[in-house]
Amino acid sequence: MTAPVFRFAPSPNGRLHLGHAYSALLNQDLASRLNGRLLLRIEDIDITRCRPDFEQGIYDDLSWLGLRWEKPVRRQSEHFEDYRAAARRLRSMRLLYPCFCSRKTIMEAVARNEAASGNPWPRDPDGAPLYPGLCLSCSVDEAEKRIAAGEDHAWRLDMQAALASAPGPYTYRRFDKQGREELVEAHPERWGDAVIVRKETPTSYHLSVVMDDALQGVTHVVRGQDLEASTDLHVLLQRLLGLPTPLYHHHGLVQDSNGDKLAKSRGSESLAELRDRDVSAVEVRARLGFGAQSLIVSL
Ligand code: GLU
């Protein structure tokens, strides 16, 4: 039997904090318990927010924590061609359509729909309103003209067509820290016509994560609970693209003293700042529940 493959996949758009450390250490811990391999993937598709110094920070922080990973590291920005090919395939299946809407146009349409119906417009699991379908009715001719004229556009999944093309039920297997597995039902329709190729980059988190997990032979995905709902969409994309579905474990999120999840945007203390305050890697590991024992085993 081939060894299980785990991956930690941070985005270099800020410094890592304790939440990332927990996710990285849990990946390492579960990989070593299952005699698995651990990969590191740099998810830098957002070329406006990702920076080389943040990427270097990831390597420095993870090495400091005692993490070891296989090389070469996959950097998503070097693989846009893979994501373009996947998007082309979905387009050839007529499952993507171009969307020229700005965020403002969408919000205005949602407000109009809410006013007309008197009901709140449905939201996706992240709380964003489902796309109200404005560009779905745009003819192929008109869309081609607008694209040829250089108009900015994203590509959205035609959810109804996608569900018809790969009919449900949709499921994946989740595993716990003891290695027990159970079947989970997925409901991709709750994401509506999700953006699969963004305006400013030739992919999206959803498309590139699904492609890379398959291209890298990832068998076990360990990531935060905040991404659990996305898995439903990932399972659908895997079905449409003929890719295997890995096992998933979505872990609880490390919280600050107010009970809020740690976030770069909320100014949570970074691992680099902890290190500058002379907090040791052993202390960080212990605080996250990875005691000295796991340090000895993993080094
Ligand atoms: N790049 C994502 C993040 O930093 C994680 C993606 C994943 O683990 O699927 O939140």
Side-chain angles (χ1 to χ4, degrees), residues 252-263:
L253 301 178
V254 179
Q255 296 176 341
D256 63 19
S257 47
N258 299 325
D260 291 322
K261 95 171 203 194
L262 301 182

Side-chain angles (χ1 to χ4, degrees), residues 13-34:
N13 53 13
R15 292 306 302 251
L16 300 187
H17 51 59
L18 282 173
H20 298 106
Y22 179 76
S23 199
L25 290 168
L26 185 61
N27 265 289
Q28 184 188 47
D29 188 55
L30 293 172
S32 86
R33 280 199 234 170
L34 291 177

Side-chain angles (χ1 to χ4, degrees), residues 7 9-11 43 205 209 223 227:
R7 85 321 188 254
S11 297
E43 300 213 324
Y205 160 61
V209 83
R223 60 185 177 197
L227 293 172

